[in-house]
Amino acid sequence: MSEVKAELQKQFRQQQEKYVYYIIALAVSGIGFSVYQTSSQALKWSQIPLAIAIASWGFSIFCGLKFIKYVLSTTYANLDYLEILDGQHPELGNVAWKMEAGSKGVIQAMKKNIKNAGKYFSWQGDLFYNGIFFFIVWHITEMYLRGSFN
């Protein structure tokens, strides 16, 4: 049963990371498309929703990258933890009290990393969808101002 659980956790992590990379790519594409669409336009007030969309996508990218950073940090800490448990950590060796203190510290760091990673994962998605919403608001505003609804 433990092998099945480990495999499911591995698959979950891989899919989660793919999702993060995909959202990052979409956000970068949204920013690029927005810049392309407005490159020959003068700055105007009706572009405020677009600016909010671009800022949302930018922060979404930031959150995605922070998520990846925390996942990498947690993975590294997990490797340290396994070395500590095996008594193979280069700084702690096989001394029981050092191993116990080290493992507690690493576990605490991993818990903090996991909490932060979850926060950034959630924010990345929220900001991405916020960007889509404001992009659509901007597009409808531009259509209205051009008289497309009249």
Side-chain angles (χ1 to χ4, degrees):
M1 186 65 174
S2 160
E3 291 178 27
V4 172
K5 184 177 178 182
E7 181 61 29
L8 286 174
Q9 287 175 332
K10 179 181 171 186
Q11 287 180 12
F12 171 76
R13 176 63 66 203
Q14 288 173 343
Q15 294 304 316
Q16 190 178 37
E17 288 174 4
K18 284 181 187 179
Y19 174 82
V20 168
Y21 291 133
Y22 188 66
I23 295 296
I24 289 171
L26 288 173
V28 169
S29 298
I31 291 170
F33 182 70
S34 299
V35 169
Y36 176 77
Q37 287 288 24
T38 58
S39 62
S40 63
Q41 296 180 11
L43 196 58
K44 50 190 174 183
W45 289 106
S46 63
Q47 293 172 339
I48 289 175
L50 183 60
I52 295 170
I54 290 171
S56 293
W57 287 328
F59 285 121
S60 175
I61 294 166
F62 172 80
C63 290
L65 294 174
K66 290 291 278 189
F67 168 81
I68 293 167
K69 177 184 168 194
Y70 278 111
V71 167
L72 290 173
S73 181
T74 302
T75 303
Y76 184 78
N78 205 357
L79 290 171
D80 266 353
Y81 180 69
L82 293 175
E83 283 184 344
I84 292 169
L85 291 181
D86 288 341
Q88 302 295 318
H89 194 276
E91 295 173 19
L92 304 177
N94 199 12
V95 180
W97 69 269
K98 286 183 178 181
M99 290 171 60
E100 184 179 341
S103 65
K104 285 181 182 178
V106 170
I107 288 171
Q108 184 179 3
M110 285 192 298
K111 285 180 179 179
K112 184 177 179 185
N113 286 347
I114 290 167
K115 180 180 177 184
N116 286 332
K119 176 178 62 172
Y120 283 113
F121 181 79
S122 177
W123 288 355
Q124 181 195 23
D126 293 346
L127 287 163
F128 175 72
Y129 293 118
N130 189 59
I132 291 172
F133 173 77
F134 278 101
F135 181 84
I136 292 170
V137 168
W138 166 75
H139 187 69
I140 291 171
T141 301
E142 288 294 313
M143 290 172 63
Y144 178 78
L145 292 174
R146 283 193 308 262
S148 298
F149 284 133
N150 296 335

